[in-house]
Amino acid sequence: MNSSLRNGSLWLAWRQQRVLVGVGAAVLAVAAAIAAYYRSGMLDALRSGLFDHCDPGPVSCTRSDTGVPLLLDIEPLQYLGALNIALPVVIGVFWGAPLLGRDRELGTHRMVLTQGVSRGQWFASRFALAAASAVTLSGLLAGVFAWWWRPAADRSYGLFWYETTALSGSGPRVVAAALFGLATGTLLGLLARRVLAAMGLTLLVTGAMTLVLEWTHKTRLLVPPHTYTSAGSVPKPPMGEKWSAGNYGLITASGRRDDVMNCPFPSGAQLKECMDRHGYVARFYEANPAGDYWTVQWIDTAALGGLALLLTAVTVLLLRRRI
């Protein structure tokens, strides 16, 4: 009897969510097809030899004959990254908020609960299907982005790891963010009296969380930059794939750091003469190395995943009071 009730609860959950599952599958299929098309064109451009003389790093590369900057067509890739960033908002608003909220607003949950289905079963069947779908969709979209991005990663003609659509639109954080959006919408759908109100609140909360995380990235709040120095007036270590913090300067023998504009000269005799005159013994700049991509990824994943677990636990605790 219990088995049949559980199966019936899962069947009902599928009936209510199958359109959303289908939409998610369609989005994934379209994204994969677009990625395959544009990635093929990207590889053809790279095989043409046009980019062979380009050095790795942020310095732009130009055509040797015309001087026109060389760039791959990465705009569609950036659109996919933007979609992945917006995914928690979309899932939270359109999937999470109605998940419990629709039945609660219409009162249809009472009929289900009178059929011998417990509150726990009613919640678990809906949330498990939604969570599994969110994880699958977000994980595959993040995988499509990574596969498409790889040939153009960290090149002046491609997309660097620290650009917003790459840093926040790829990796495990996309999956954790999707679960956070779902958990947020589910809880607010349970608390609000109307689904529309829950959708509006979910939009605010998930949107605010997205902006907060982007702010921590830009300010280097959670992953501070490293300091790279060079003795005397010798050339500084190349920037390469590093993410510059925009802080360059000069160092005295006592360790004091001054602004680079005190000696605004490129490496050469003028720079050496200026540094000697002011007592500077080294130069420095601050930047995050490419390895910090994964540091940011795991910090965001832990924060978003932890919040998703917390919000889900609160939802479970409030089920008896609200339903």
Side-chain angles (χ1 to χ4, degrees):
M1 179 65 176
N2 287 336
S3 176
S4 64
L5 288 173
R6 283 194 295 270
N7 292 338
S9 183
L10 285 170
W11 177 83
L12 182 58
W14 167 250
R15 289 270 299 178
Q16 292 177 330
Q17 298 180 53
R18 59 184 177 179
V19 172
L20 291 170
V21 172
V23 170
V27 169
L28 177 61
V30 170
I34 292 174
Y37 175 79
Y38 280 99
R39 188 178 188 273
S40 176
M42 182 186 294
L43 292 175
D44 288 343
L46 291 172
R47 293 192 195 104
S48 70
L50 194 61
F51 296 86
D52 289 353
H53 68 286
C54 297
D55 294 327
V59 179
S60 60
C61 185
T62 60
R63 290 180 63 103
S64 55
D65 53 347
T66 64
V68 175
L70 284 170
L71 296 170
L72 291 171
D73 185 9
I74 60 166
E75 190 173 1
L77 172 63
Q78 291 175 310
Y79 286 143
L80 177 58
L83 171 64
N84 288 347
I85 294 171
L87 205 57
V89 180
V90 175
I91 288 177
V93 170
F94 296 104
W95 205 322
L99 192 65
L100 305 182
R102 183 70 66 194
D103 278 356
R104 187 165 181 268
E105 180 179 341
L106 299 176
T108 51
H109 64 287
R110 297 190 182 93
M111 180 184 67
V112 175
L113 296 177
T114 59
Q115 304 302 311
V117 177
S118 69
R119 291 177 175 84
Q121 290 173 341
W122 178 72
F123 167 75
S125 60
R126 281 156 177 72
F127 192 78
L129 177 59
S133 300
V135 167
T136 302
L137 175 62
S138 58
L140 290 175
L141 284 174
V144 169
F145 182 95
W147 174 72
W148 186 355
W149 175 37
R150 193 168 295 116
D154 301 331
R155 294 292 184 268
S156 62
Y157 48 79
L159 187 68
F160 280 90
W161 66 269
Y162 50 77
E163 295 184 52
T164 299
T165 50
L167 187 59
S168 299
S170 64
R173 80 174 302 281
V174 177
V175 178
L179 287 174
F180 166 73
L182 178 66
T184 300
T186 302
L187 176 58
L188 292 173
L190 179 64
L191 294 175
R193 293 181 177 274
R194 295 288 183 269
V195 171
L196 195 59
M199 294 172 77
L201 290 171
T202 301
L203 175 63
L204 289 175
V205 173
T206 53
M209 187 63 184
T210 300
L211 292 176
V212 166
L213 287 177
E214 291 305 320
W215 174 76
T216 65
H217 298 166
K218 297 299 182 185
T219 59
R220 325 295 170 93
L221 180 67
L222 302 178
V223 186
H226 298 221
T227 300
Y228 297 86
T229 61
S230 58
S233 60
V234 300
K236 298 187 294 295
M239 185 65 69
E241 299 173 2
K242 303 183 192 78
W243 182 15
S244 173
N247 190 11
Y248 299 81
L250 304 132
I251 306 173
T252 65
S254 63
R256 188 185 76 243
R257 295 184 179 186
D258 290 342
D259 190 88
V260 69
M261 295 308 295
N262 286 3
C263 287
F265 305 105
S267 298
Q270 285 182 302
L271 175 63
K272 186 178 186 304
E273 189 275 329
C274 181
M275 290 181 67
D276 291 342
R277 187 170 67 250
H278 289 88
Y280 294 125
V281 298
R283 296 190 290 167
F284 77 92
Y285 67 82
E286 294 182 348
N288 291 87
D292 280 352
Y293 167 84
W294 286 109
T295 305
V296 173
Q297 281 286 321
W298 293 122
I299 288 175
D300 284 5
T301 299
L304 292 164
L307 285 171
L309 288 173
L310 177 63
L311 294 173
T312 302
V314 172
T315 302
V316 172
L317 291 174
L318 291 177
L319 271 176
R320 186 169 294 278
R321 294 185 180 182
R322 291 281 172 172
I323 299 298

